[in-house]
Amino acid sequence: MSDNSSYEKPSLAVLGLGHVGLPTALGFAEMGWEVIGADDDASKVAMIRSGHSPFYEPGLDEMLARVLAGGRLTLTQCVEEAVRAATILFVCVGTPQKDSGEADLSQVEAIARTIARNLNGYKLIVEKSTVPAITAQWIKKTVARFAKHADAPGGLHAEFDVASNPEFLQEGKAFENIFRPDRIVVGVESERARALLQRLYQSLDCPILFTNVSTAELTKHAANAFLSTKISFINMVADICDAVGADVGQVALGMGLDPRIGTEFLNAGIGFGGYCFPKDLRSFMHLAHEHKVDCQLLREVEKVNLQRAEVFLKKVRHAVWVLKGKKIGVLGLAFKGGTDDIRESPALRIVKLLLEEGARLQVHDPQAMEASRQEVPPQAGRLEYCSSAYEAAREAHALLILTEWQEYRKLDFSRLHALMEVPVIVDGRNLLDPEVARASGFEYIDMGRHTRAEQPVTTVESASS
Ligand code: UGA
């Protein structure tokens, strides 16, 4: 009997080895499962097989070395082979975005057809990629439709289930999220699928929420949209704090200590970016629009986010006055700390706007320099990629912090001060301790923390009276 789903230990295939797929494959292998990792990009597979990760993720290289040595991960560029060899198929292919905001599901569709043509026994097809709330139905229809023409043995009537198991991992914290998740959401349509996924995750100490498939898909959309809303909300509050002289950091803490609100994702700054929030927000809006549901709230979340670059640039202009021809140091290019990912990075958006204004930029990022160079190539006298934060600060009229890399907090600020033409820091991520920056002689400007030492109005008044 080819169905090994209930009795034997099921084998797993992870289809697509990107930011979600590769950590997922390694995570399952580390938990003791036999995993086949497949990706049709031959060079990526070769790189992973040789022990090199195609992107930066803390702990990934070490995990890859351990898992490869343990022999529980098989890698292939032949997706068909992976489909035939495994029972549980995790679909982790990319879901980019069309101009309309709609998710481009062509890779998901292609995988569904590949699965259909290689059905050689029961398969549980699990969506992990973030997809709109009706995608599982399409996968089901597509597999059923194309399986009819399958020439693989047993293809015609082989059984399958489709499930949704959205991934909540954050880049930069992938393994923390995989091994210590807050929750696992699983959308299933059959007892068999439920039992298989329950078995897969039972060793993890967290709630497992079983729902129907559309509910699981929608949970992911709603979670990302809600987190984006939190960020835009606190950014709006930061602007009000700037106007009235309040400290957004303390407001966020005072709000967040209420467990109904929570302290996380209330860091004000230049806004959210990355491959997930901006795209997922647009795709959620598209879905709502298609079903004639008013999603004005989400439009505002996006609008606030897009305005962050200008809010930040105003501060920079205020600090240095004319930007044209000025040397400006930039710390951070990645969309957030802990990754080399620059997709929809607010930092890069600001870099491009500064270049348009004629500033001469000296930029640095601990991990994202290579990717940034491809996106915005160096320009003599206008854009220089620097090997260290200190190089970026040399003779600069201002130093801008655009990514929340923790290592920037540990810089030698006296050294930076000595290197700069004008000691000004504009901190777009509220990363530094204002006291530390000012103690080293910097004029320090942040996003709504209103911590300027020269502005405690009451002290000034009492001194003059
Ligand atoms: C996000 C979600 O956090 C994950 O749960 C989800 O699985 C993932 O998307 C996904 O859909 O695949 P990620 O894109 O890796 O994860 O990044 P986040 O850590 O969520 O940060 C997103 C952006 O928000 C970054 O640009 C970050 O700098 C910004 N951010 C985050 C803020 O501006 N303020 C905050 O308080 C938190």
Side-chain angles (χ1 to χ4, degrees):
M1 184 176 160
S2 58
D3 173 17
N4 61 4
S5 60
S6 321
Y7 312 106
E8 296 166 23
K9 198 169 183 180
S11 56
L12 274 59
V14 176
L15 313 177
L17 296 174
H19 283 87
V20 170
L22 183 55
T24 300
L26 295 175
F28 280 128
E30 180 79 355
M31 287 182 226
W33 299 95
E34 295 295 329
V35 183
I36 305 166
D39 198 298
D40 56 12
D41 180 341
S43 59
K44 190 194 273 181
V45 171
M47 197 174 173
I48 299 170
R49 198 179 276 135
S50 69
H52 296 101
S53 160
F55 52 87
Y56 173 74
E57 172 68 39
L60 182 53
D61 285 339
E62 297 80 349
M63 180 71 74
L64 182 57
R66 201 162 55 239
V67 165
L68 288 176
R72 275 194 299 273
L73 176 67
T74 310
L75 293 156
T76 178
Q77 70 184 81
C78 180
V79 179
E80 290 84 354
E81 182 190 310
V83 170
R84 287 195 297 269
T87 302
I88 307 179
L89 310 174
F90 283 98
V91 178
C92 297
V93 294
T95 52
Q97 194 182 4
K98 298 183 193 168
D99 292 342
S100 60
E102 192 183 354
D104 172 356
L105 298 174
S106 53
Q107 294 182 50
V108 176
E109 207 246 8
I111 282 282
R113 277 186 280 134
T114 305
I115 294 172
R117 295 209 156 104
N118 291 280
L119 281 183
N120 58 346
Y122 174 77
K123 305 286 168 189
L124 171 56
I125 305 161
V126 189
E127 296 170 343
K128 253 203 183 303
S129 309
T130 299
V131 289
I134 28 90
T135 307
Q137 299 309 326
W138 274 109
I139 295 180
K140 209 168 149 182
K141 220 186 255 183
T142 306
V143 174
R145 188 177 281 165
F146 286 87
K148 279 190 190 155
H149 307 293
D151 44 19
L156 193 56
H157 298 296
E159 285 179 83
F160 68 94
D161 276 309
V162 179
S164 166
N165 172 212
E167 184 49 71
F168 296 107
L169 70 79
Q170 287 172 271
E171 289 180 28
K173 289 187 182 170
F175 293 110
E176 203 178 311
N177 296 151
I178 286 174
F179 296 118
R180 286 184 299 283
D182 303 313
R183 81 303 203 185
I184 290 166
V185 176
V186 177
V188 284
E189 286 183 333
S190 76
E191 260 313 307
R192 189 184 202 171
R194 181 190 168 111
L196 274 172
L197 289 165
Q198 172 111 50
R199 191 169 162 200
L200 208 58
Y201 287 121
Q202 68 193 2
S203 65
L204 296 175
D205 180 24
C206 74
I208 303 182
L209 185 65
F210 285 98
T211 68
N212 68 30
V213 176
S214 297
T215 303
E217 289 172 329
L218 204 80
T219 304
K220 173 64 190 275
H221 267 307
N224 274 5
F226 190 78
L227 291 169
S228 310
T229 306
K230 264 186 121 173
I231 299 170
S232 278
F233 181 86
I234 203 67
N235 281 332
M236 176 203 71
V237 173
D239 292 349
I240 299 175
C241 285
D242 263 334
V244 305
D247 177 349
V248 72
Q250 291 185 345
V251 172
L253 186 64
M255 281 166 62
L257 286 173
D258 179 337
R260 291 172 301 173
I261 297 174
T263 50
E264 300 226 7
F265 275 64
L266 287 177
N267 297 322
I270 57 173
F272 57 80
Y275 190 58
C276 303
F277 282 178
K279 170 174 82 78
D280 289 357
L281 197 61
R282 288 192 288 265
S283 151
F284 201 26
M285 285 193 273
H286 189 272
L287 183 76
H289 185 71
E290 246 186 5
H291 294 274
K292 300 194 170 40
V293 175
D294 183 354
C295 59
Q296 193 58 32
L297 173 66
L298 301 182
R299 263 185 243 299
E300 291 301 320
V301 169
E302 186 183 38
K303 188 171 145 202
V304 169
N305 196 50
L306 292 174
Q307 285 166 347
R308 296 318 290 163
E310 188 47 35
V311 169
F312 178 78
L313 284 174
K314 264 191 194 147
K315 286 175 184 275
V316 179
R317 288 187 208 107
H318 191 74
V320 305
W321 192 20
V322 176
L323 273 166
K324 194 168 177 192
K326 291 257 170 67
K327 261 191 197 169
I328 306 288
V330 169
L331 300 188
L333 300 166
F335 84 94
K336 65 171 187 177
T339 177
D340 58 357
D341 198 341
I342 54 158
R343 290 174 292 179
E344 300 219 25
S345 167
L348 267 197
R349 190 179 312 138
I350 288 170
V351 161
K352 288 176 189 167
L353 291 169
L354 286 165
L355 286 173
E356 276 171 26
E357 288 204 30
R360 297 162 61 197
L361 303 185
Q362 304 177 151
V363 303
H364 174 262
D365 187 284
Q367 294 292 341
M369 302 271 273
E370 210 178 302
S372 304
R373 251 194 219 107
Q374 307 288 326
E375 168 94 11
V376 195
Q379 303 167 32
R382 299 211 48 215
L383 174 62
E384 185 191 343
Y385 285 86
C386 300
S387 57
S388 72
Y390 300 106
E391 281 302 307
R394 193 177 294 281
E395 293 167 10
H397 286 242
L399 192 60
L400 315 182
I401 299 181
L402 301 185
T403 306
E404 62 274 45
W405 281 104
Q406 291 308 311
E407 59 195 83
Y408 289 148
R409 303 186 68 174
K410 297 178 199 133
L411 289 168
D412 177 344
F413 289 97
S414 309
R415 185 172 162 202
L416 281 176
H417 185 280
L419 285 165
M420 289 177 67
E421 178 76 27
V422 184
V424 171
I425 292 179
V426 190
D427 185 350
R429 296 293 195 166
N430 288 350
L431 183 72
L432 303 186
D433 180 340
E435 301 289 318
V436 173
R438 290 195 185 109
S440 307
F442 279 98
E443 184 185 334
Y444 175 76
I445 298 142
D446 57 23
M447 305 295 282
R449 285 195 293 182
H450 196 78
T451 51
R452 291 178 197 88
E454 71 274 20
Q455 290 189 357
V457 179
T458 45
T459 319
V460 174
E461 277 175 359
S462 56
S464 59
S465 58

